[in-house]
Amino acid sequence: QLQASGGGLVQAGGSLRLSCAASGRTFSNYIMGWFRQAPGKEREFVAALTWTGSDTYYADSVKGRFTISKDNAKNTLYLQMNSLKPEDTAVYYCARHAGANIYYSSSYNYWGQGTLVTVSS
């Protein structure tokens, strides 16, 4: 199971750090990703990290503001979000990659329950 946490209400320009704890299964050998879904919109890719941690991928909309990382010893994935904007408001999901294009949600087979991030203007 993947358990996402760390969401909340923050003012524009603020920061939050999301965590995704894995239990039962390790993700140390998998690409892990973060997606988000705003009300009335489709789930979209935010960031991904290879299992070595050496390669990261970001959506253009968050590049330079968000940082994905992980701690294999704690079996936890993180998303540091800085300079938050109202358009970042969404439910954020962590997921484990199963294969194919990392930017597509259909390429992930294990999902956390989501954590809500609300950015006020």
Side-chain angles (χ1 to χ4, degrees), residues 3 6 10-11 17 20 25-26 28 37 41-42 65 68 80 87 96-98 104 115:
Q3 182 76 27
V10 63
Q11 288 188 333
R17 189 177 80 157
C20 174
R25 294 175 184 267
T26 181
S28 61
Q37 188 166 17
K41 295 188 177 181
E42 293 187 354
R65 300 188 297 121
I68 187 172
Q80 177 67 43
E87 51 263 44
R96 196 185 80 177
H97 185 246
Y104 296 159
T115 185

Side-chain angles (χ1 to χ4, degrees), residues 30-98:
Y30 294 89
I31 293 173
M32 296 296 297
W34 286 97
F35 284 75
R36 66 186 182 186
Q37 188 166 17
K41 295 188 177 181
E42 293 187 354
R43 193 168 297 189
E44 65 174 1
F45 173 81
V46 175
L49 176 72
T50 56
W51 72 273
T52 61
S54 61
D55 295 303
T56 55
Y57 305 87
Y58 296 96
D60 288 342
S61 59
V62 308
K63 202 171 294 183
R65 300 188 297 121
F66 291 10
T67 303
I68 187 172
S69 62
K70 64 176 181 173
D71 185 332
N72 285 341
K74 296 182 178 179
N75 227 19
T76 302
L77 180 73
Y78 301 102
L79 185 68
Q80 177 67 43
M81 306 186 296
N82 298 328
S83 302
L84 283 161
K85 304 176 181 180
E87 51 263 44
D88 295 319
T89 295
V91 176
Y92 284 72
Y93 299 89
C94 56
R96 196 185 80 177
H97 185 246

Side-chain angles (χ1 to χ4, degrees), residues 4 6 16 74 77 105 107 112 118:
L16 282 175
K74 296 182 178 179
L77 180 73
S105 59
S107 299
T118 303

